Amino acid sequence: MENFLTQTLVYLGAAVVSVPIAKRLGLGSVLGYLIAGVVIGPYALSLIGAQADVMKFAEFGVVILLFLIGLEVRPSMLWDMRKAIFGFGGTQVVCTSLAIAGASMLLGLPWQTALAVGMVLAMSSTAIVLQTLDEKGLRQGPVGRAAFGILLLQDLAVIPMFALLPLLATVAPQTHGDAGGHGGASLVAHLPVWAQGLSVFAAVAAVVGGGRYLVRPVFRFIAKARLREIFTASALLIVVAVASLMQIVGLSPALGAFLAGVVLAESEFRRELETDIEPFRGLLLGLFFITVGAGVDLPLVARQPLLLGGLVLGLMALKFLVLYGLALLFGAPKRGALAVATALAQGGEFAFVLLSFTVGAGVIGAPLAALLTAAVAVSMALTPVAMILYERVAALMDAAIPDVVPDTGDFDESEPDIIIAGFGRFGQITGRLLSSNGFKSTVLDSDIEQIELLRRFGRRVHYGDATRLDLLRQAGADRARMLIVALDDREKTVELVETARKAFPNLVILARAWDRRHAYDLLANGADAVERETFESALALGATALQKLGFRAHRAHRAAAYFRRHDRRMFEELRPMWGQEEAYILASRDAAQTMDRLLDADLHRMRPGDAGGAWDTASLDEELRERAQQEGAD
Amino acid sequence: MSDATTGSVTPATSGLLLVLAHPALERSRANRALAKAAKSVSGVTFKDLYESYPDFVVDIETEQAALVAHDVVALQFPLFWYSTPSLLKEWLDIVWLHGFAYGEDGEALKGKKLFVACTTGGSAKAYHAHGYNRFSLDEFLRPLEQTAHLCGMEWETPFVVHGASVKDDAALKSEAERYKARIASLLPARAEA
């Protein structure tokens, strides 16, 4: 127990110290974890003992990652991506395997070993790639999709590799029972081939069928019990159960988890599962990266620095070239191909698994396996560095194209009236309205895909995190009249408003607010005006609903307009209380109370008759009727 | 957050309520000059309808309260198709309601003055039985005059600026002075009452 606590202390301590520092230095969190691992590893400070247990635990992080990815993937989307997955992905695995095998043979390995090395090293690291792309904001969009397709196919390819690798044995296998490492922990290995196949089929069927017909009623039952921790526990249970099942039948646990995720992607519990599992993903992946860092055999590196360095560089260069060539062949633009090739040019976590398997199966000797393990670990550690290099090169490429404004270069020929931070679905509309009315705007956005697209249309857009004061200043914030904040991130929006208010007191700041509470926060932090992003569209939908319920169009429009005015008055009335004595009422856990209050006020103020029924007053009808009777009587 | 009440001023307890309706005030030299002159008179509450209600959703309660709080109601507008701009008509339709402005129980405006200040594009000659427009401006303003009558209000002689868009700066300046004097002349009468 004491040992466990000490270990936890070391891991958490290392992560807490190194990751924020790495982030601050612009290295990204993955590199932070890896460095933490190297530092506390057995070959440096040696603060952790045998880390095999931790390693297994950490690999579970990859399983969870795949589960979460699966949740995001609808089967129709997989079908749309079939070209990326099977075309690009399959070709990549085959070509990379052969290229590395060829290079290994040139270095004097027998062909069987060379081929095994090729297959092992053809894998890239799902965890590192996806995490790195996430941090760069490249996950969505063509680069992210291509990378994801390849990674998915690689995970699939592990299965036939387990079958193929033993055939390449050149020496008698070591103890057979040990043969598996992770993949070989299969309980069905001793069964005849047809039974193995059947059990694989049964396991997949169990995951799909269970996900469709069993999990949802169970979740509904648990959800009714309103025990959050039990819901989290059952979410974890699913992942662990699926992973174990896959291991039993000899499939990749990560792939099983992915499958389970896809099955549950359409379920109503998807969001809940995501939010519950997400924290585990981050922590366990962090742990995984630490163990990779700790696994870098420093003495080995010290003994053969040149050999190892050569191996790492050779590996990355080969993978990069193959990927780059293939990406171009599959029609990617140069920048995109460069990004994909750089991101995927490392060895993957499956290499560790496959290497121990091949050693057991007598395909690769233990010394070579140790060397390759170190090479893969170092290549993983170098990936975030390579991505930083890529960004530099990409910036240079942009600078080389004359009519494209450099990302961080000077903005000075532009004297913008307006700076728009964030040019997504909200910022675009505002921006288009303003520019079509003759205002010059400078756009800051951190979505490189979006920027590439806009630049093709000749728009002035700049890559960058708008919360950076220096970038704002470069974009002309001290000369511009207005800043429009339309970032997708709630906290960042507040942060940017606050920063800009302090630095540029004369700037008019308008911000897109998430909801009422966010709007109050933004106003409190110096925004001159805010617009709740969903307010107008929700109102429009409400008006449409009234029409569909039988209101005439003009009456529905007026009802919505009255509601808008009423709501804005309520907004202003409640505003002084925000953050003061009644803050608790508005705070999230008492949102229901606020809602009651608002609904009550609506009911009182918005009663029928007030809302636009001005012309058809009943009193006029009555008076006219009375007059008619009198006239008739006269 | 845009505010629907922008442009309206807190109602005074008495005085003149100047209701301006011009959908393109930025292009109207005459109406800008007139409004500026009128606003400088003390006791005038200025209300710019197109600025207050860009969505045409007039706030009945606010408007009725403003009407009640003033003794003189002045309507300033350019003549559009021989009538008021549409938002001013909407404002009348929706605010001057039965039971408030007219009808058996509608006495809120009784005894108040209704004053119209109107600009036209054409020359004075065009508003004549033998002119281009075949009727005098007074005839075109009959609906408003009758509105005042129905509501028990005193109908003041309208203030008219013909050929507003072709007037030079000097001419506009003298019209503005004339307008200012007229507005001021409406106020003391109230002070005596």
Side-chain angles (χ1 to χ4, degrees):
Chain A
M1 188 65 193
E2 196 186 340
N3 186 34
F4 170 74
L5 274 182
T6 322
Q7 283 222 13
T8 311
L9 183 76
V10 169
Y11 278 106
L12 288 178
V16 167
V17 169
S18 62
V19 174
I21 294 178
K23 269 284 237 198
R24 186 54 66 85
L25 295 175
L27 300 177
S29 67
V30 177
L31 209 49
Y33 283 119
L34 289 169
I35 293 167
V38 172
V39 171
I40 64 171
Y43 306 109
L45 295 182
S46 192
L47 293 175
I48 42 172
Q51 54 146 0
D53 298 343
V54 180
M55 189 77 184
K56 271 182 198 156
F57 197 45
E59 274 168 12
F60 189 56
V62 181
V63 173
I64 287 190
L65 176 73
L66 264 294
F67 178 70
L68 285 172
I69 294 168
L71 277 180
E72 288 294 333
V73 174
R74 279 162 289 106
S76 58
M77 180 183 157
L78 276 185
W79 181 247
D80 288 345
M81 286 178 65
R82 63 192 184 279
K83 195 180 146 203
I85 297 173
F86 291 101
F88 195 0
T91 322
Q92 182 269 337
V93 171
V94 172
C95 290
T96 314
S97 298
L98 291 179
I100 295 175
S104 306
M105 282 172 74
L106 286 181
L107 291 174
L109 292 180
W111 71 269
Q112 295 95 332
T113 316
L115 196 57
V117 170
M119 288 201 277
V120 167
L121 296 184
M123 304 286 128
S124 306
S125 169
T126 308
I128 287 191
V129 174
L130 292 187
Q131 188 87 353
T132 310
L133 290 181
D134 259 343
E135 274 180 28
K136 307 277 177 213
L138 291 174
R139 190 44 204 295
Q140 312 298 334
V143 171
R145 273 200 296 279
F148 178 68
I150 295 172
L151 291 166
L152 204 59
L153 190 103
Q154 290 180 352
D155 289 342
L156 283 168
V158 171
I159 302 159
M161 282 185 187
F162 274 120
L164 283 175
L165 281 170
L167 302 178
L168 298 171
T170 49
V171 292
Q174 294 172 351
T175 44
H176 198 79
D178 192 33
H182 300 258
S186 164
L187 293 181
V188 295
H190 60 280
L191 293 176
V193 175
W194 63 267
Q196 285 192 30
L198 202 65
S199 62
V200 166
F201 180 76
V204 172
V207 171
V208 174
R212 276 195 101 91
Y213 303 108
L214 189 68
V215 171
R216 284 163 74 170
V218 171
F219 268 143
R220 236 168 268 144
F221 179 71
I222 295 169
K224 273 189 197 135
R226 290 180 180 277
L227 290 168
R228 203 187 155 77
E229 66 277 15
I230 291 301
F231 196 92
T232 311
S234 31
L236 276 177
L237 179 68
I238 290 182
V239 182
V240 176
V242 169
S244 315
L245 184 66
M246 290 296 143
Q247 214 160 37
I248 287 171
V249 300
L251 291 184
S252 142
L255 197 66
F258 174 75
L259 184 65
V262 172
V263 172
L264 290 173
E266 305 274 13
S267 102
E268 64 269 43
F269 298 104
R270 188 181 114 200
R271 291 288 164 212
E272 185 72 27
L273 283 169
E274 253 173 36
T275 9
D276 277 0
I277 301 270
E278 187 75 40
F280 294 98
R281 182 203 78 147
L283 271 181
L284 289 174
L285 271 188
L287 192 59
F288 172 77
F289 296 136
I290 293 182
T291 57
V292 171
V296 177
D297 190 342
L298 287 180
L300 188 71
V301 179
R303 243 179 294 125
Q304 301 171 305
L306 285 179
L307 176 61
L308 192 72
L311 273 180
V312 172
L313 285 183
L315 168 68
M316 293 184 79
L318 252 183
K319 293 191 82 165
F320 175 86
L321 287 175
V322 172
L323 279 159
Y324 187 65
L326 284 180
L328 289 183
L329 206 66
F330 276 85
K334 266 190 184 159
R335 273 269 304 257
L338 198 62
V340 172
T342 313
L344 292 170
Q346 76 292 88
E349 49 272 3
F350 276 117
F352 303 132
V353 179
L354 287 171
L355 277 170
S356 67
F357 178 73
T358 51
V359 171
V363 186
I364 294 177
L368 179 59
L371 194 63
L372 291 180
T373 305
V376 168
V378 173
S379 76
M380 283 164 88
L382 283 179
T383 299
V385 181
M387 283 307 282
I388 293 170
L389 270 178
Y390 154 76
E391 285 184 339
R392 293 276 155 78
V393 173
L396 283 178
M397 278 168 76
D398 283 350
I401 306 166
D403 56 347
V404 174
V405 183
D407 280 325
T408 45
D410 50 44
F411 292 79
D412 55 13
E413 87 284 0
S414 61
E415 261 316 285
D417 300 305
I418 296 148
I419 297 170
I420 301 175
F423 211 61
R425 60 201 174 99
F426 189 98
Q428 274 176 35
I429 294 170
T430 312
R432 273 165 49 206
L433 176 63
L434 291 168
S435 68
S436 64
N437 279 285
F439 291 97
K440 277 196 291 181
S441 59
T442 291
V443 173
L444 289 169
D445 199 298
S446 52
D447 180 351
I448 200 78
E449 308 287 340
Q450 183 82 329
I451 288 168
E452 280 174 357
L453 184 77
L454 286 167
R455 281 193 179 168
R456 236 173 291 146
F457 285 101
R459 294 295 303 257
R460 279 190 319 190
V461 282
H462 304 285
Y463 174 79
D465 178 359
T467 49
R468 271 174 50 196
L469 193 57
D470 53 340
L471 203 65
L472 269 182
R473 189 162 278 131
Q474 272 189 336
D478 37 12
R479 300 181 301 272
R481 289 158 65 183
M482 184 182 285
L483 168 69
I484 291 174
V485 187
L487 300 176
D488 256 339
D489 185 298
R490 296 173 72 154
E491 272 75 43
K492 277 209 160 168
T493 305
V494 179
E495 191 187 325
L496 173 52
V497 166
E498 197 186 356
T499 311
R501 179 80 296 154
K502 279 188 192 136
F504 313 107
N506 296 325
L507 203 58
V508 174
I509 301 174
L510 307 185
R512 178 261 297 264
W514 191 265
D515 57 12
R516 182 178 281 261
R517 276 172 275 138
H518 194 218
Y520 285 137
D521 272 346
L522 289 169
L523 289 168
N525 279 286
D528 293 294
V530 296
E531 197 68 55
R532 284 164 281 166
E533 66 164 347
T534 50
F535 183 69
E536 289 297 334
S537 47
L539 217 52
L541 190 71
T544 306
L546 288 175
Q547 269 190 69
K548 298 275 177 206
L549 289 169
F551 274 36
R552 288 181 53 75
H554 191 57
R555 188 169 168 209
H557 170 78
R558 293 190 79 84
Y562 272 83
F563 185 91
R564 175 189 293 109
R565 183 157 65 212
H566 163 66
D567 184 90
R568 287 190 167 167
R569 275 183 196 161
M570 289 293 293
F571 180 87
E572 287 302 324
E573 272 171 32
L574 290 175
R575 194 177 152 195
M577 298 167 201
W578 175 245
Q580 288 169 32
E581 77 268 31
E582 293 205 49
Y584 71 96
I585 291 182
L586 290 157
S588 60
R589 70 195 165 88
D590 290 299
Q593 224 175 317
T594 313
M595 185 50 71
D596 279 352
R597 197 159 141 174
L598 292 174
L599 289 178
D600 198 48
D602 293 345
L603 201 63
H604 174 70
R605 178 67 183 75
M606 302 294 298
R607 64 187 180 277
D610 263 0
W615 313 272
D616 51 2
T617 44
S619 65
L620 177 61
D621 295 346
E622 204 178 308
E623 203 175 306
L624 288 174
R625 228 174 285 125
E626 278 170 21
R627 200 176 299 163
Q629 273 169 9
Q630 277 171 18
E631 280 163 8
D634 286 346
Chain B
M1 185 89 23
S2 71
D3 189 349
T5 57
T6 312
S8 71
V9 181
T10 328
T13 50
S14 60
L16 182 141
L17 177 67
L18 178 63
V19 178
L20 169 72
H22 197 308
L25 192 61
E26 67 279 4
R27 285 193 278 110
S28 170
R29 288 155 59 244
N31 274 283
R32 272 207 316 273
L34 294 183
K36 196 180 165 198
K39 271 199 279 186
S40 69
V41 179
S42 79
V44 169
T45 306
F46 179 68
K47 184 180 280 284
D48 182 341
L49 284 187
Y50 278 91
E51 199 63 18
S52 299
Y53 303 111
D55 56 0
F56 272 54
V57 183
V58 176
D59 187 342
I60 301 168
E61 285 172 21
T62 304
E63 296 306 309
Q64 289 187 343
L67 285 170
V68 168
H70 292 82
D71 297 312
V72 186
V73 179
L75 308 178
Q76 183 191 325
F77 58 92
L79 197 71
F80 278 13
W81 280 116
Y82 313 110
S83 181
T84 68
S86 54
L87 181 53
L88 183 57
K89 180 66 166 62
E90 171 79 357
W91 178 79
L92 284 163
D93 288 353
I94 211 168
V95 177
W96 294 41
L97 288 176
H98 181 261
F100 169 79
Y102 70 104
E104 282 169 356
D105 306 319
E107 302 196 329
L109 304 178
K110 208 167 188 172
K112 294 181 193 292
K113 289 176 179 171
L114 185 63
F115 168 62
V116 165
C118 181
T119 60
T120 73
S123 66
K125 271 187 234 161
Y127 291 90
H128 190 272
H130 305 296
Y132 183 73
N133 291 316
R134 298 178 57 238
F135 300 96
S136 72
L137 192 63
D138 278 345
E139 285 173 283
F140 289 124
L141 294 178
R142 289 281 187 258
L144 288 172
E145 189 178 342
Q146 171 55 21
T147 298
H149 178 76
L150 185 68
C151 298
M153 298 173 86
E154 275 177 54
W155 177 248
E156 292 289 333
T157 311
F159 176 90
V160 181
V161 179
H162 283 297
S165 45
V166 295
K167 287 222 167 2
D168 63 19
D169 287 348
L172 277 182
K173 204 177 167 196
S174 81
E175 291 289 2
E177 285 304 316
R178 191 161 71 85
Y179 187 48
K180 195 171 161 180
R182 185 69 202 283
I183 293 267
S185 78
L186 290 167
L187 281 162
R190 174 212 57 83
E192 285 156 19

